[in-house]
């Protein structure tokens, strides 16, 4: 099954201890769509300005990304500027320019309203809800967000969350959203806001999934070289949701496997700036790293 995603398509300027890039291809929708496209077809709903180069659109088309819902309008494309210090788990936002997203009112192209899998990538929660309302009968709604919206649009975000099945956020944001420092208590609070499943991304420490009464923990892949964590969360979301949509299986066992596919995709993405690693990645490499994850967590049970 294909996935409908709404999210940002952006120019990113990023500084890490290992280098810097200016105005490169980025955006939550871009990272998500590219990552998910390794597993299934993707329909991207977003907006860019007239300054957005054809070359980036060609790249998305070269993946299995349908751009029927991507509008080009007069004005400037969304821009984000961020910095990472030696603790690569924490992004410091230096500047967010919403630009053409400020006035974007999405209208889904014909056929998109039948989407069964919907991913609300990190973007204004009002926009997330507007897209969701146009989808007739989604089977699975997953959602990502960040501190910018938790602080700036809390009420709208809480409204959106009532319609979400799976929320994926990072650890600090989970605490901030729940207004609770203990992660287990924060998870309980968030699960009372609407989502049935909470996936907490913990950077180099891996992922925790709270699902009904169980907790699942997956490590991050131990990499020697991490250049740029930008997009790790979105590529995780793409692998996670992409696998679920490809199989159509929403059992707990399948959710756990999806977590590992998400972790695999994120581990590749951080190896280079922007979407550079995604551009050279081949599916067999994904399966090979999935197997390495299996070995990473294999241990003998009690006899
Ligand atoms: P992450 O996966 O969390 O590292 O997401 C990084 C991407 O999110 C970058 O490519 C940014 O362009 C995008 N981004 C940053 N801030 C926002 C925001 N407030 N709304 C939507 N997208 C954002």
């Amino acid at each position: 099954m294909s996935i409908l995603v709404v999210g940002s398509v952006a120019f990113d300027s990023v500084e890490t201890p290992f280098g810097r890039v200016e105005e490169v291809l980025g955006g939550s929708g871009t990272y998500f769509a590219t990552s998910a496209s390794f597993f299934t077809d993707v329909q991207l709903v977003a907006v860019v300005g007239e300054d957005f180069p054809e070359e980036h659109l060609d790249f998305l088309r070269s993946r299995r990304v349908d751009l029927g819902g991507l509008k080009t309008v007069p004005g400037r494309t969304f821009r984000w500027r961020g910095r990472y210090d030696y603790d690569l788990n924490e992004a410091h936002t230096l500047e967010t320019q919403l630009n053409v997203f400020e006035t974007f009112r999405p209208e889904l192209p014909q056929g998109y309203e039948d989407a069964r899998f919907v991913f609300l990538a990190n973007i204004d929660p009002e926009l997330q809800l507007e897209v969701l309302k146009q989808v007739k009968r989604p089977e699975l709604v997953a959602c990502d967000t960040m501190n910018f919206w938790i602080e700036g649009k809390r009420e709208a975000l809480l409204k959106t969350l009532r319609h979400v099945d799976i929320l994926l956020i990072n650890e600090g944001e989970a605490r901030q959203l729940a207004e609770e420092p203990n992660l287990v208590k924060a998870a309980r609070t968030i699960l009372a806001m609407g989502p049935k499943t909470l996936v907490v991304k913990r950077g180099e420490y891996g992922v925790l999934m709270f699902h009904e009464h169980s907790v699942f923990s997956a490590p991050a892949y131990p990499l020697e070289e991490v250049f740029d964590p930008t997009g790790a969360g979105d590529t995780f979301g793409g692998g996670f949701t992409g696998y679920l949509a490809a199989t159509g299986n929403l059992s707990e066992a399948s959710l756990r496997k999806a977590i590992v596919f998400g972790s695999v995709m994120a581990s590749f993405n951080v190896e280079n700036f922007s979407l550079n690693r995604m551009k050279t990645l081949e599916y067999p490499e994904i399966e090979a790293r999935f197997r390495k994850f299996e070995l990473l967590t294999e241990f003998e049970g009690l006899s």
Side-chain angles (χ1 to χ4, degrees), residues 8 10 12 26-28 31 78 80 122-123 146 148-149 229-234:
S8 57
D12 286 347
S28 59
Y31 278 111
F78 180 103
W80 179 74
N122 175 30
I123 194 67
M146 73 182 291
F148 187 85
W149 305 113
T230 310
D234 310 309

Side-chain angles (χ1 to χ4, degrees), residues 5 25 34 88 106 129 134 151 153 165 186 205 253 256 274 295:
V5 56
L25 177 61
T34 305
L88 291 168
L129 192 57
Q134 295 175 54
E151 285 154 25
K153 292 239 175 153
D165 301 305
Y205 306 112
R256 289 181 178 214
S274 182
L295 295 177

